[in-house]
Amino acid sequence: MSLQDKLRVVRTPDRISLQPNRRLAAVLKLYAIAAVALGLLLAIFYRWLGEGVIVICAALLICLVIRGLVDYIFWYNVRYEFDKATNAVYRENPPFGRKQIMRLDEMVIITGSASGDWYYAIGIKKQQLVKNYRISPFFGSAGVYKLMITEFEEDILVHIIALLPGSAH
């Protein structure tokens, strides 16, 4: 499956949209599997477990469920839309609706890092280090990521840059 399919990229001549957090699906599945396994463990062995173990397992179960719900509600379905016709960048999250976050002519593309991995982000000129929005998956330094980086830059980032005012098509 290509990176465009994984990020659900939709491209027209004057608009491109993508969901950079779709790769969270694997993490969400792990949270669900761990929560179900922990719940079954508690249900089956409840009588034989000590009070401390029950409290720790219940706390861990609650943390897994809360983290999974937060990731799903606030990050998983986020879509960024770059629209040349309206000169705007929109952030859409189904529970919270669609919101214009900046104009295309004031947007700059930067790279950011977190936990040793890096990513592409967008921000408003001269404020991009204060508030920015990640538009790519996380990339590491391993050889596997080199292909992903190239695919993202050639198939997605180039088209975003082409929408910017003053860019040569």
Side-chain angles (χ1 to χ4, degrees), residues 141-157:
S141 58
V144 176
Y145 291 108
K146 291 188 189 322
L147 187 60
M148 249 175 73
I149 294 165
T150 304
E151 185 178 355
F152 183 81
E153 290 174 346
E154 292 176 356
D155 296 340
I156 299 168
L157 195 60

Side-chain angles (χ1 to χ4, degrees), residues 20-91:
N21 300 314
R22 294 306 287 189
R23 296 185 69 208
L24 273 176
V27 174
L28 291 173
K29 286 178 189 174
L30 283 175
Y31 286 158
I33 290 169
V36 167
L38 204 53
L40 286 173
L41 177 85
L42 276 174
I44 293 171
F45 297 109
Y46 185 80
R47 291 184 188 182
W48 297 282
L49 295 174
E51 186 177 324
V53 175
I54 291 172
V55 169
I56 290 171
C57 288
L60 189 56
L61 180 64
I62 290 168
C63 288
L64 284 170
V65 169
I66 289 172
R67 179 61 194 240
L69 286 173
V70 166
D71 281 353
Y72 182 77
I73 292 169
F74 292 105
W75 297 109
Y76 182 68
N77 290 312
V78 171
R79 174 175 290 281
Y80 292 103
E81 182 178 318
F82 303 85
D83 192 350
K84 189 173 187 172
T86 60
N87 187 37
V89 179
Y90 299 99
R91 181 177 194 257

